[in-house]
Amino acid sequence: MARHYQHSFDSVHCVLSLLQGIRGTFCDWTECARLKTALLICVLLLGSSAIAGDPDGQSGEPVRTVTLRFVSWKADHPRAWDEAFARFAETRPHISIVRELAPHSSTAYHDLLTQKLKNRDATVDLFFMDIIWVPEFASAGWVRPLDDLFSPEEQANFLPAAMETGRYGGHVYGVPSRIDSGMLFYRADLLAKYGFTPPRTWPELIDQAEVIVGGERASQPALRGYSGQFKQYEGLVCSMMEFIGSAGGRLITADLQTSQLADPVNLAAVDFVREQIVGRIASRAVLTYQEPESVVPFIQGNAVFHRNWPYTWEVANDPKRSRIAGHVGVVPLPGMADRPPATALGGWLYAISPFSRHQREAWEFIEFLSSAPLQRHFALAAGIAPSRAAILQDERVLEANPHFRAQLAMFHGATARPRTPLYPAISNILQRYFSRALAYRDVNLVAEATQADIQINRLLDVGRSAR
């Protein structure tokens, strides 16, 4: 408090000295324009000293102005994020946020972010962390543990499946911003027109797609049966894991000992996608699609079925962006024959860089973004599935996103990708294998899968020997 008053006294003394100088120069100094300027300076200086000393005018302790750099991808719903940042600025005027936009692709984003963290870049304060990066970042020391900030009582407010994605080695490294799982969106108007109910199996989906596309060909020549994510990036692994899982297979054994790509069940699932999805009901352009590209043909009315994450509901039903608003349905992904469906667990975490000089302020920002009011805001404005259990059951949220009611069980049962620090390297092998298998129909699947298994098993061996 003494420093606050000393600063104010120095400011007043400065202005009084200026006034004395003015008075000595001009006889009618009360009328002088320079006096008015001096008085204005006095007001500004006194006001600024009070603000710098204590925004509430009570404690007298100086408040440090901090700029946080937040690394994130370009938002699918920029207006929702702009409003969130504006709300934060109102409550924390001493903390300004600079957003550094990374590529939308999780793979490209990972490469950019890890380069900064490897270099111990202190300009990065906090970042979005894909759930699959947690073991890698924690093992490398690239993310700050949050155990001292994120209390067990607060953690209990989040869905267990979402919380688990941020844990590794007995510590918590991220706060769930959302929970994601793959879903099937469809043209409800077209299915009703042809007397169909949403498909429960992938073969049933193919049959329905072909009937509808054939029936609509004269009036909608651009219509295709399916749109999804099949470009060589992390989303391709999610999509293929869902097809493989619905057939009863898995990428790697549950104990992370052995890659299983050459297993006959897995090979049959990959061949099904290559011959029946990409080669039959979907345009081959899907081989270049990530999430943003894949949703475009659907909302333009050029796809009957579309696989994507929960945010798609809001996009597809926004009449300003979608030609099919009000004619969209969503259900769990289909299964294969008599087997239950499988869906990939997705999601992003708020995380703090251990090299940041502003870790406490970064935590303030994360607390704000992950709070109940903000999760409700993102659910209503952007269709993002909240990771807080209470918000996921909030009546306003469910009214705007009725599909959340039926998806809760799917969120809990979604399949996580292998949790190992070596996953990014494993994913690179999986991406190359799946991309070649789908893009080149003359590729020998057994040979390609066997070679990929060998490469992944080598990585798993390295991981075991490094423990």
Side-chain angles (χ1 to χ4, degrees), residues 164-184:
E164 194 59 33
T165 65
R167 291 195 179 100
Y168 186 74
H171 298 285
V172 177
Y173 291 95
V175 179
S177 69
R178 67 191 69 197
I179 189 165
D180 275 340
S181 65
M183 299 178 174
L184 182 69

Side-chain angles (χ1 to χ4, degrees), residues 263-287:
D263 181 275
V265 171
N266 295 347
L267 291 171
V270 174
D271 185 64
F272 177 86
V273 178
R274 178 168 72 171
E275 299 297 328
Q276 304 299 319
I277 303 294
V278 176
R280 188 169 172 181
I281 64 170
S283 163
R284 288 187 65 81
V286 296
L287 296 171

Side-chain angles (χ1 to χ4, degrees), residues 231-234 236-238 240-241 244 250-252 259-262 266 270 417-418 422-438 448-449 451-453 455-456 459:
K231 184 177 181 178
Q232 185 176 316
Y233 80 118
E234 184 60 31
L236 173 62
V237 178
C238 293
M240 295 308 297
M241 189 172 75
I244 287 172
R250 61 186 311 144
L251 303 178
I252 298 173
S259 179
Q260 293 190 298
L261 298 177
N266 295 347
V270 174
R417 282 154 283 175
L422 296 170
Y423 180 75
I426 292 171
S427 177
N428 285 335
I429 298 170
L430 292 171
Q431 292 173 36
R432 291 196 300 270
Y433 162 62
F434 289 134
S435 181
R436 280 182 53 79
L438 300 183
E448 291 286 331
Q451 184 60 34
D453 278 341
Q455 295 172 357
I456 292 174
L459 285 174

Side-chain angles (χ1 to χ4, degrees), residues 119-140:
N119 293 333
R120 306 172 72 89
D121 187 344
T123 65
V124 175
D125 296 297
L126 69 159
F127 49 86
F128 264 128
M129 179 168 59
D130 195 327
I131 61 172
I132 60 176
W133 304 342
V134 175
E136 176 198 13
F137 281 32
S139 300

